[in-house]
Amino acid sequence: MIEEPQTRAEKIGRTADHAMPLELRGITIRYDGGGGEPLVVAEDFDLGLEAGTMHCLAGRSGSGKTSILTVAAGLTLPTSGEVFWQGDSLDAMSDDEISDRRRALIGYVDQGGALIDGMSALENVLLPAVPDKQVEARTEMAKDLLDLVGLGRRMRHRPAQLSGGERQRVAIARALILGTKVLVVDEPTASLDREHANQIIGILKDTTKDGIAVLVATHDQELINVADSRTLMN
């Protein structure tokens, strides 16, 4: 049994060191309509996400939830507005600095988890550590993370040998491997039955107890209900 002398976050990585690790100010996302009217999926959107809290973007498919997530994670740029990570505006950063800061700060889990088929669960979790040649140094951390999401005994299994809920849990563990401050998750329960969906909800909620901020997009009412705050996307 793994002993936890303090909190899980102190075992996995550094605790959040900023009261509001993610802030969105006046975010507008507009897509070219191809000669017609432009498609506006978000307009003047504001969000301040405090450490240790979960905010839910709730709404139907196509309401702009994923677009907000990718902007928050620095994967795409808004049409206008500013994104702040730990108080620093992305507008003041180079592309390389955004990439480096994202790796240190943001854990992004897209819909479905997107694991590498030819790699074990443990190897998938360690994938973000490869560019910095930190695989060996973070192997025990990866094992701890898989234990924390209930997959310690299945770390050698490949994705094809795991259920949908198990693959999603591996993806969450992978997103936490570099000491994440903000976990951004897109529709984590969409393709799961109620039992497995509730397991994912419990893991996300437990993550906030360790000081990690969680931004999640969903139309799952059970997940919406446990969030600390929520925005309804029309």
Side-chain angles (χ1 to χ4, degrees):
M1 184 173 181
I2 297 173
E3 182 181 356
E4 291 184 283
Q6 298 182 43
T7 68
R8 282 194 293 261
E10 287 167 324
K11 175 182 287 293
I12 296 165
R14 296 170 297 172
T15 55
D17 56 8
H18 196 280
M20 191 173 290
L22 174 66
E23 186 177 3
L24 308 179
R25 294 183 191 170
I27 297 297
T28 294
I29 304 171
R30 185 184 301 112
Y31 297 111
D32 188 353
E37 289 293 320
L39 174 64
V40 179
V41 298
E43 188 166 18
D44 203 25
F45 181 87
D46 295 323
L47 173 65
L49 186 59
E50 296 181 0
T53 65
M54 180 192 296
H55 186 86
C56 182
L57 302 178
R60 58 178 174 77
S61 297
S63 60
K65 302 189 302 295
T66 297
S67 295
I68 291 287
L69 293 189
T70 58
V71 165
L75 297 170
T76 58
L77 296 174
T79 305
S80 61
E82 283 190 272
V83 178
F84 294 83
W85 290 344
Q86 294 188 311
D88 297 327
S89 173
L90 270 61
D91 285 354
M93 300 181 196
S94 67
D95 290 345
D96 286 344
E97 186 175 1
I98 290 173
S99 180
D100 289 342
R101 290 285 294 273
R102 184 192 303 116
R103 284 174 48 74
L105 175 70
I106 305 289
Y108 187 81
V109 183
D110 61 11
Q111 190 171 348
L115 303 183
I116 305 300
D117 289 337
M119 304 176 76
S120 68
L122 179 61
E123 289 167 335
N124 268 282
V125 172
L126 284 166
L127 198 57
V130 171
D132 296 330
K133 299 181 180 180
Q134 289 289 307
V135 171
E136 184 176 353
R138 292 187 181 266
T139 295
E140 290 305 313
M141 186 185 300
K143 292 178 180 178
D144 288 346
L145 280 164
L146 286 168
D147 280 335
L148 292 172
V149 299
L151 293 174
R153 295 182 177 181
R154 297 178 70 77
M155 65 178 64
R156 303 297 177 188
H157 287 65
R158 297 180 186 274
Q161 299 170 298
L162 302 173
S163 69
E166 288 170 336
R167 290 194 295 272
Q168 198 73 9
R169 282 185 272 164
V170 172
I172 292 171
R174 180 181 61 192
L176 295 170
I177 190 64
L178 296 182
T180 298
K181 305 296 188 299
V182 182
L183 184 61
V184 179
V185 192
D186 192 9
E187 296 283 5
T189 64
S191 60
L192 306 180
D193 60 40
R194 190 70 265 160
E195 179 184 357
H196 289 102
N198 287 341
Q199 291 175 349
I200 297 297
I201 292 171
I203 290 168
L204 294 176
K205 193 63 178 175
D206 283 348
T207 299
T208 66
K209 297 175 184 177
D210 294 325
I212 296 171
V214 177
L215 178 61
V216 60
T218 189
H219 58 265
D220 183 340
Q221 193 60 50
E222 296 293 327
L223 181 49
I224 294 167
N225 289 343
V226 304
D228 299 292
S229 58
R230 54 201 61 82
T231 299
L232 178 60
M233 308 288 290
N234 296 317

